Amino acid sequence: MGTKGREIVGVDVDELIKRLNTAFADEWLAYYQYWIGAKVAVGPMRGSVVAELIEHAGDELRHADMIAERILQLGGTPLLSPNDWYDEGHCKYMKPEDPSVNALLEQNIKAEQCAIEYYQDLINMVKDKDPITYDMVLEILADEVEHEEDLQAIEEDMQVMHKVM
Ligand SMILES: [Fe+2]
Ligand SMILES: [Fe+2]
């Protein structure tokens, strides 16, 4: 923990750590949701959907890493057990029971939209109060916005494909 670094944070640091741990849990679950989705996916445009899911999985894991580093900087402890991901997460894991590419896209779009809302709230909390967390969350939020758009663009391509067929 950086003592001065913690001191300059203008919000309740314990509350911030708690919120970051929630995001940390969600990132791991998002990572797994993408990763396992890419394994089981079936249906039209499978190749491009899988490539996108794998790329997103990598981003979510990177987000988890960034958040863990920030939690440690603030003197907190990242959740130590995968059991905690379910208990502490906000966006909830969506099990890909239907492996069709359409269902996978829908689930992951929902997850991204939940993440976007969560990070927007977090940004409002730390704005002008904690520039380090603010910068990090801004970077993550930009990725989530891009993820949502990537998935919706594939859905749109599929709709066009169905029309011409
Ligand atoms: Fe993420
Ligand atoms: Fe994402």
Side-chain angles (χ1 to χ4, degrees), residues 1-10 13 70 73-74 132:
M1 170 181 72
T3 45
K4 195 71 185 173
R6 184 180 154 115
E7 206 181 292
I8 60 165
V9 174
V13 177
R70 185 61 185 142
Q73 272 184 355
L74 290 167
I132 310 296

Side-chain angles (χ1 to χ4, degrees), residues 27 30 34 56 59-60 63 112 115 140 143-145 147-148:
E27 291 293 351
Y34 275 123
H56 289 195
D59 289 340
E60 311 305 7
H63 296 161
E112 292 295 347
I140 296 175
D143 286 343
E144 312 304 12
V145 166
H147 288 170
E148 183 206 26

